[in-house]
Amino acid sequence: MQISHVEVVPVELRLGLPYQTAAHPQEVDCIACVFIRVETREGRVAWGCAAFDPVLTGETLEQVTQACHACADRALDLNPLNTEYALAALAPLTEGTPSARCAFDIAFYDLLGLAAGLPLHRLLGGYRHRIQTSITLSFAPTKETVELAK
């Protein structure tokens, strides 16, 4: 499988429900992330996303976007189905921006699932119809926190 094109799309997303945490004393109502769209010569399209929190990771939208562009150029020479090798080749380009490498990790595994003709969760051994997840609630008065949790 050969990658023919990688598009890097930085975006700022407005949150429907702003949040506040110990690390974010100011309310957060918008997040930045970078989507990547990977296309192969066979016409397969996969997506990845670099979602990061500058307060926690120290990454900026500009840094992550730059790293994703560098990885996009390098990825044209890589076989994304050889995921560990491909990700190792991108590692030097993503020092200080681990979320950029994560975006390509997601996209390469998406391509792996497409190549196998399986949804990625099946390829990785998933069998449940529902999964447990966690939700982070913002700092708020008790009554409001209970309502948010519901």
Side-chain angles (χ1 to χ4, degrees):
M1 180 178 289
Q2 182 72 42
I3 295 173
S4 60
H5 181 72
V6 179
E7 183 179 1
V8 176
V9 185
V11 297
E12 289 194 6
L13 303 172
R14 188 134 322 270
L15 299 177
L17 181 62
Y19 69 91
Q20 186 176 358
T21 68
H24 301 91
Q26 301 293 328
E27 189 172 78
V28 177
D29 64 354
C30 179
I31 60 166
C33 58
V34 180
F35 289 98
I36 61 164
R37 181 184 180 276
V38 179
E39 190 172 330
T40 69
R41 287 189 179 160
E42 299 82 14
R44 292 187 171 113
V45 175
W47 289 86
C49 179
F52 55 94
D53 183 335
V55 173
L56 298 177
T57 67
E59 297 168 282
T60 67
L61 181 59
E62 182 180 326
Q63 290 169 327
V64 174
T65 301
Q66 268 185 330
C68 284
H69 279 294
C71 289
D73 293 340
R74 179 69 177 98
L76 298 177
D77 297 326
L78 299 172
N79 178 351
L81 301 184
N82 189 353
T83 53
E84 292 304 315
Y85 177 84
L87 292 169
L90 298 181
L93 303 173
T94 60
E95 287 184 29
T97 54
S99 65
R101 187 168 353 132
C102 181
F104 283 84
D105 189 340
I106 294 167
F108 291 169
Y109 275 96
D110 191 10
L111 285 173
L112 190 61
L114 292 170
L118 293 170
L120 187 56
H121 76 283
R122 289 278 184 244
L123 183 72
L124 297 176
Y127 63 92
R128 295 188 174 107
H129 296 289
R130 293 178 57 178
I131 61 170
Q132 289 183 335
T133 185
S134 66
I135 297 172
T136 302
L137 297 175
S138 180
F139 284 146
T142 303
K143 187 174 182 172
E144 186 179 339
T145 302
V146 170
E147 287 304 311
L148 287 170
K150 288 180 183 178

